[in-house]
Amino acid sequence: MKVIMSGNEAIARGAYEGGARFASAYPGTPSTEILENMPQYGDAVYSEWAPNEKVATEAAIGASIAGVRSFCAMKHVGMNVAADPIYTFAYTGVTGGFVMVVADDPGQHSSQNEQDNRNQAKAARLLMLEPSDSQEAHDFMKKAFALSEKMDMPVLMHVTTRVCHSKGIVELGEREEADVPDYEPKIKKYVTAPANAKVLRATLEDRVKAAREYACNCEFNRVEMHDTKIGVITSGVSYQYARETFGDNASYLKLGLTFPMPTCLIKDFCSKVDKVYVVEEMDPYIEEHVKMLGIECTGKDVIPRFDELNTDIVRKAFLGVEPETYTSDMKTVVRPPALCAGCPHRGLFYCLSKREKKDGIMITGDIGCYTLGMAAPLNALHSCICMGASISQGHGASIALRDAGKKTKVVSVIGDSTFFHTGVNSLMDAVYNSGSNLSIILDNRITGMTGHQQNPGTGYTLMGKEAPEVDIPALCKAIGVKEENIITVNPNHLDEVNAALDTLLAKDEPTVLITRWPCVLKKFSKQDLDEFPTLHKTQCVIDQDKCKNCKMCVKTGCPALISTKEKVVIDYTSCNGCTVCKQVCPFKAIEEVTR
Amino acid sequence: MSEVKNILLVGVGGQGTILASKILTSGLMKAGYDVKMSEIHGMSQRGGSVSTQVRYGDKVYSPIVGKGSADVIVAFEEMEALRWLDHLKIGGKMVINDHQIQPVPVNLGMAEYPEGIIEHLKEKVDVLSFKAAEVATELGNPKAMNIVLLGALVKAMGLDDIDWDAEIEANVKAKFVELNKKAFHAGYNL
Ligand SMILES: Cc1ncc(C[n+]2csc(CCOP(=O)(O)OP(=O)(O)O)c2C)c(N)n1
Ligand code: SF4
Ligand code: SF4
Ligand code: SF4
C-alpha cells in the first residue's frame, strides 16, 4: 500500500515493520513525531517518553541487552545528553538490534545550536545510516535492526529537519517479528570493567573493519552512472538538491551508510569520473574522508559550512546560476513567535520584568516556551544555554556574585519538563552547596514547546495510560529546600506572584517558586478540569468608553490585544481570559465576561 | 517527463494550512503524481510565519520550493504574500486572503504594517484576492476559510481531473464534510 508520510511517520512505521518491541524518547524538534506515531502500533511495540535522552537511550539499551529489538529517538542536542551511554554501548555491541535515531536541525529552525552529529558516529564508532526522503527513512529503519544484530553494533539513524518534516509517498510492508531469546547473562560483553573494556575496545575495531567492507557492497550505498564529466558524492537530503541541480549531466555516489565510510566504493567511483564534487550539509564529513584518500574534490570551498542547503544554493555554488525573481521595495515586518494569548508564563514574566528594571536581578533561563520571556516587551530572561542549565547557572552566579561582594539577586526560570529532564540535578547542587538563587519552576502541566507531550508530572504516559505524578514541592523538600522556602502560586494572579517574589527574594538561601496553571493549548485531562475549574470559562473585553489608550495592557505582550494608533481591542477569538491585562490596566477599563 | 509544479501555502501559525495541504497532496497522489511536501514546525507554531511547500510531477527530488519557482502562492495573510514574493515564478499567480494579522513589533508600535500590499502586488503579478473568512462565514463557519483558499488554488493550478469531493470526505470529520465541500466549490468558482 502507498501512503503519504513525513519522514518521522515513516521512521515509526519502519521501526514497527522491522520488529522493534521497545521504544523510548525525549521530545525535541524535529524528532518528536517519531514517538508520537508509535502508540498506533501499541500492541506490537511498547513506547514511552523518558525524562531525558540519556534515560531514553539507557532504557533502549536495557531492552537490547535483554534480547529485544529497540530504539530511542532524540533531537541533535539530545545526543550530547545521551553521549555517555552510547559511546560505551558501541564497545559492548548489541543483543537485540538497537537503533538510535538522531535528528539534526541544519538552519536552526527550532534549536539553540547547529551540530553535525555525523561526527559523533565517527567518534563513537556507530554504524550510521542517512536516509534522504520518507521512503528511505522507512526502508532504512526497517532494515537497521537486523543490520545492527549482524554487525553487533548500535546503529545511528541520522536524519535532518527536511527529512523528518517533509512528506513523500511511502510503500508500506509487513511487520517482521524477531524472536526474543531466553535471557542469558553475558558478563564479558556487558560489564565494561577495564579488563573487559580493553578487550571490547580491540574487538570494536574489528567490527568497524567488517562494517567498512560491508559498506562497499551494501544496498544502502548506490552508484548512478550518467555523464562522467562530473561525479557527485552526497548523502541525506543533499542528494535531492544535487540530483535536481545536475540531473543526468553528472553521475552520483549516493551514500546511505556513512560510517564506516565505504572507502573502496569511493575510490572506484572517483576513478570513473573526471571531476568530483561533494554535496553535503553542515560539516565536510564526507569531503574530509575523500581528501584523506588523496582524491581531489570540490565541496566546502563553494558550499556553506552552516545553515540548510537547498537546490538554489547548490545550483549557485556549482553552476553559478540564480533564478529570476520578482522584487519589491516594500518592507515586511518580522513576525517573531510570542507566548500564546492566555499563556500561564505571561503573568510571571510580567512581574519579573518590573522587578528586573527596579531591583536589577539576574535571570538565568532555560529552554521551553518560556524562553520567549526574553522577547519584547517582557525582556525578562538573560540566558539560555541548554536544558536544565538555568538552576545550575543561577547557583554558580549567585555564589560568584556573593563572593565578589555584589548585591544582585539571581532568579532561575525552568519549565516542568525541563526540571524533570536535568534541572532536578541542578537544584541538588544549589541546595547541597548552599547557593542562594530563587528557582522558579513553571509547571504548566505539560511539555509545551515541542507540541504538548506528557511528562512525569502530568499523570499520563505516551500510550495514554494513567501514571503517578511527580509531586514537585515534595521533591524539592526531599532535596533539602526548606518547606517555608517553597511556595506555589497561580501565575495569572499578579498579586500572588509578587507577594511570593517578595518573600523568597528576601532570603539568602535556595528557594523555590512553583507557578501552577495549565498551558492554554493543552488537551485538558479530567484532573485538570477538577483542579482548574475556571479554565477557558471567561474572557476579557475592553470598555472603549473607559479606555484611555495608555497601552499598559499591550506591554504584557499578549497577542490577543490588538493595538493601533487609535485604540486597543481584544480579539475575542483568541483571548483565553487569563485576566493579566485586566490586572495591569490603570483605568479599570477591562472587564471579565463569561464566554 | 512532465515538469515539476510548485505550490506554496504561506501564513501565520495556527491558520490551518495543514489540512488544506493534506487534502491537496492526497488528491495529487491518487492522480498518479509523485508528491513531496515540506513544512517547518517548532518555534514557528507560536504565531510566527509558517510555510507549506508542495511539489508534484512524474518524479520529485527536493521537497523545497526554490526562489522564482512557485507556480502559485496561496497567502493566508497579506504580509506573508509580500514576504514570499521572491519565490513566485515569473508569470506565476498569487491567491491572497484579504486579511491582516499584526505581528508583535507592530502591536508594540515599534514598526508599521505596510499599507496597500495587495494593490502593490497587483501591479507586478497576477493576483486573485478576496476575503476568505467572509466567504466561509456566509457558508456557516469562518474556519472553513482554508478550504475556500484550497478551492481557489485548485482552479489556479487547473487540477480539475481529481475528485476533490472524495478527498474532502476522506480527510475531514463527517459533520464538517458538507460545509467544506461548499467552501471548496465557493473558492473554486470565485
Ligand atoms: C537536550 C534537549 N532535548 C530536547 C530539547 C527540545 N526541547 C526544547 S524545550 C523542550 C520542553 C520544554 O518543556 P517545559 O520545560 O515543560 O516548558 P514549556 O515549553 O511547557 O513552557 C524540549 C523538549 C532541547 N532543546 N534540548
Ligand atoms: S485576558 Fe487579556 S492578557 Fe489574558 S488572554 Fe485575554 S487579552 Fe490576553
Ligand atoms: S503552548 Fe502553552 S506554554 Fe507554550 S506559549 Fe502557548 S500557552 Fe504558553
Ligand atoms: S491599559 Fe486599560 S486604559 Fe490602557 S489601553 Fe489598555 S485597556 Fe485602555
Side-chain angles (χ1 to χ4, degrees):
Chain A
M1 193 176 64
K2 281 188 173 173
V3 293
I4 293 187
M5 280 186 160
S6 69
N8 283 345
E9 290 169 312
I11 289 171
R13 174 73 196 191
Y16 161 75
E17 289 182 18
R21 285 169 181 266
F22 182 96
S24 186
Y26 182 69
T29 316
S31 71
T32 310
E33 300 81 9
I34 300 170
L35 264 273
E36 283 185 328
N37 274 289
M38 289 311 297
Q40 60 184 307
Y41 309 116
D43 292 339
V45 195
Y46 164 89
S47 44
E48 64 171 30
W49 290 127
N52 68 38
E53 294 85 353
K54 178 176 183 289
V55 173
T57 303
E58 290 157 351
I61 288 175
S64 166
I65 295 176
V68 165
R69 290 188 171 176
S70 67
F71 76 99
C72 54
M74 63 207 67
K75 74 180 274 149
H76 63 318
V77 283
M79 192 173 178
N80 304 339
V81 179
D84 200 5
I86 200 66
Y87 273 67
T88 301
F89 191 48
Y91 281 34
T92 69
V94 308
T95 300
F98 174 97
V99 185
M100 178 183 218
V101 186
V102 174
D104 283 6
D105 187 19
Q108 292 176 258
H109 293 284
S110 333
S111 305
Q112 68 268 36
N113 81 356
E114 187 183 73
Q115 70 185 45
D116 191 337
N117 276 316
R118 296 180 304 168
N119 297 308
Q120 298 226 60
K122 186 175 169 189
R125 293 160 176 80
L126 309 170
L127 266 179
M128 174 162 55
L129 298 178
E130 286 191 77
S132 63
D133 61 12
S134 296
Q135 181 71 60
E136 283 190 353
H138 166 274
D139 299 350
F140 287 16
M141 189 69 183
K142 181 172 184 175
K143 290 170 183 156
F145 297 95
L147 177 66
S148 164
E149 286 162 10
K150 178 178 148 95
M151 295 289 154
D152 196 11
M153 290 171 82
V155 169
L156 177 75
M157 175 85 167
H158 180 266
V159 285
T160 55
T161 302
R162 286 294 168 182
V163 173
C164 294
H165 285 174
S166 295
K167 295 196 177 183
I169 298 173
V170 178
E171 174 82 56
L172 303 182
E174 298 294 323
R175 176 169 165 93
E176 286 164 14
E177 289 293 349
D179 289 341
V180 181
D182 289 334
Y183 178 70
E184 185 195 321
K186 297 176 193 158
I187 292 176
K188 286 213 161 64
K189 182 173 167 77
Y190 287 118
V191 181
T192 56
N196 291 340
K198 277 184 75 111
V199 177
L200 293 166
R201 177 69 190 86
T203 66
L204 174 57
E205 289 311 310
D206 297 339
R207 281 172 279 156
V208 171
K209 195 164 161 239
R212 193 180 301 285
E213 273 158 34
Y214 170 79
C216 288
N217 297 300
C218 71
E219 57 189 319
F220 300 102
N221 295 328
R222 141 178 122 226
V223 175
E224 293 172 20
M225 294 311 281
H226 307 283
D227 193 313
T228 55
K229 277 200 254 335
I230 299 170
V232 178
I233 308 180
T234 182
S235 70
V237 73
S238 304
Y239 163 74
Q240 313 290 358
Y241 310 142
R243 197 70 185 66
E244 216 153 71
T245 299
F246 301 105
D248 289 349
N249 299 322
S251 295
Y252 302 86
L253 174 56
K254 185 201 169 296
L255 299 179
L257 197 164
T258 47
F259 188 84
M261 285 288 256
T263 301
C264 342
L265 196 57
I266 294 172
K267 284 187 183 159
D268 184 53
F269 176 76
C270 294
S271 72
K272 292 182 180 148
V273 297
D274 299 346
K275 258 191 300 191
V276 178
Y277 292 168
V278 179
V279 181
E280 60 188 323
E281 254 167 356
M282 300 192 284
D283 292 342
Y285 174 83
I286 299 175
E287 184 178 342
E288 280 175 358
H289 188 84
V290 172
K291 289 199 166 139
M292 196 187 73
L293 298 175
I295 300 167
E296 246 180 73
C297 62
T298 309
K300 292 295 164 186
D301 34 354
V302 296
I303 301 179
R305 280 172 179 263
F306 63 94
D307 211 341
E308 270 199 304
L309 292 186
N310 56 43
T311 307
D312 287 347
I313 294 172
V314 177
R315 206 179 271 146
K316 183 167 175 231
F318 288 101
L319 308 180
V321 287
E322 282 184 83
E324 198 190 336
T325 62
Y326 290 105
T327 54
S328 162
D329 46 16
M330 201 181 244
K331 289 271 169 295
T332 54
V333 182
V334 290
R335 204 180 279 285
L339 294 173
C340 300
C343 174
H345 300 334
R346 181 166 286 105
L348 173 80
F349 280 105
Y350 185 79
C351 295
L352 284 178
S353 74
K354 293 283 159 214
R355 257 164 226 265
E356 192 220 18
K357 288 197 191 87
K358 201 167 95 249
D359 308 337
I361 48 176
M362 173 181 185
I363 307 172
T364 59
D366 224 303
I367 308 193
C369 286
Y370 52 92
T371 312
L372 294 171
M374 65 149 181
L378 298 164
N379 307 313
L381 185 135
H382 304 165
S383 68
C384 162
I385 305 287
C386 68
M387 288 193 74
S390 56
I391 300 181
S392 21
Q393 275 171 44
H395 167 64
S398 78
I399 301 256
L401 288 165
R402 185 182 67 196
D403 288 358
K406 308 281 185 197
K407 293 270 179 300
T408 312
K409 287 297 266 178
V410 183
V411 173
S412 310
V413 289
I414 188 164
D416 50 341
S417 183
T418 307
F419 182 65
F420 301 136
H421 181 274
T422 33
V424 61
N425 309 48
S426 305
L427 184 63
M428 266 178 228
D429 186 31
V431 174
Y432 173 51
N433 291 307
S434 309
S436 64
N437 54 322
L438 162 59
S439 300
I440 305 184
I441 303 167
L442 295 91
D443 182 9
N444 61 352
R445 318 294 306 126
I446 202 79
T447 314
M449 177 91 247
T450 40
H452 310 93
Q453 292 75 34
Q454 304 294 345
N455 68 43
T458 62
Y460 287 89
T461 68
L462 169 62
M463 312 255 273
K465 274 182 32 195
E466 284 198 42
E469 281 177 36
V470 174
D471 180 337
I472 297 176
L475 175 59
C476 295
K477 193 171 159 228
I479 286 172
V481 185
K482 292 180 188 155
E483 195 156 8
E484 67 268 27
N485 287 350
I486 305 172
I487 301 179
T488 302
V489 296
N490 174 346
N492 294 338
H493 295 168
L494 305 186
D495 287 350
E496 241 181 81
V497 175
N498 277 321
L501 287 174
D502 284 342
T503 307
L504 299 176
L505 283 172
K507 311 244 177 163
D508 201 20
E509 49 192 1
T511 53
V512 172
L513 172 61
I514 300 155
T515 65
R516 190 171 162 102
W517 195 264
C519 158
V520 295
L521 296 187
K522 180 182 177 182
K523 218 173 128 217
F524 301 129
S525 64
K526 195 189 150 300
Q527 290 89 324
D528 289 329
L529 297 170
D530 287 347
E531 184 181 343
F532 312 101
T534 60
L535 266 178
H536 292 203
K537 287 284 192 312
T538 63
Q539 56 182 192
C540 282
V541 286
I542 298 180
D543 181 341
Q544 294 297 338
D545 294 337
K546 290 190 192 154
C547 175
K548 303 259 191 284
N549 200 22
C550 72
K551 309 283 193 214
M552 274 302 283
C553 55
V554 179
K555 299 216 169 79
T556 63
C558 174
L561 291 152
I562 299 172
S563 167
T564 52
K565 278 201 189 69
E566 300 74 37
K567 62 178 178 182
V568 182
V569 292
I570 292 177
D571 171 22
Y572 73 94
T573 57
S574 47
C575 171
N576 284 304
C578 72
T579 75
V580 167
C581 58
K582 175 174 189 263
Q583 294 166 65
V584 306
C585 172
F587 300 102
K588 301 213 170 351
I590 304 183
E591 283 163 41
E592 191 178 2
V593 298
T594 321
R595 223 172 170 181
Chain B
M1 210 159 108
S2 79
E3 202 191 340
V4 171
K5 298 280 182 191
N6 299 304
I7 298 170
L8 266 177
L9 295 107
V10 301
V12 176
Q15 277 193 302
T17 48
I18 308 225
L19 178 65
S21 60
K22 194 171 166 195
I23 295 173
L24 178 65
T25 48
S26 148
L28 290 166
M29 181 180 80
K30 295 223 179 91
Y33 291 109
D34 187 17
V35 190
K36 281 198 176 150
M37 174 182 121
S38 190
E39 254 163 11
I40 291 299
H41 310 224
M43 269 286 194
S44 49
Q45 281 176 330
R46 313 274 170 269
S49 302
V50 292
S51 69
T52 302
Q53 326 206 351
V54 177
R55 310 190 69 214
Y56 65 95
D58 287 345
K59 172 76 191 157
V60 181
Y61 289 102
S62 165
I64 304 178
V65 174
K67 286 191 178 155
S69 76
D71 294 277
V72 176
I73 294 180
V74 184
F76 284 51
E77 199 271 353
E78 285 175 32
M79 192 165 62
E80 296 310 312
L82 179 60
R83 200 186 304 285
W84 287 89
L85 174 66
D86 64 352
H87 279 67
L88 192 68
K89 185 188 267 178
I90 302 298
K93 183 166 183 167
M94 280 195 159
V95 176
I96 307 179
N97 184 16
D98 187 348
H99 178 65
Q100 303 187 346
I101 299 177
Q102 282 205 37
V104 176
V106 173
N107 228 15
L108 296 175
M110 292 167 5
E112 277 189 39
Y113 194 100
E115 265 179 50
I117 293 178
I118 294 182
E119 293 66 39
H120 173 72
L121 290 174
K122 276 185 175 161
E123 286 167 16
K124 298 174 182 284
V125 303
D126 182 4
V127 173
L128 170 68
S129 77
F130 57 93
K131 292 191 186 301
E134 277 180 20
V135 176
T137 309
E138 267 170 42
L139 298 171
N141 190 336
K143 288 211 173 123
M145 165 187 103
N146 50 355
I147 306 302
V148 175
L149 288 161
L150 177 66
L153 165 68
V154 162
K155 173 76 167 288
M157 290 303 302
L159 289 166
D160 305 332
D161 304 346
I162 297 168
D163 185 354
W164 294 106
D165 280 349
E167 288 307 322
I168 291 171
E169 280 162 26
N171 286 292
V172 172
K173 278 205 196 107
K175 64 175 175 179
F176 296 119
V177 165
E178 277 317 305
L179 167 74
N180 280 299
K181 279 190 194 169
K182 275 194 242 159
F184 180 87
H185 293 286
Y188 186 89
N189 292 321
L190 272 165

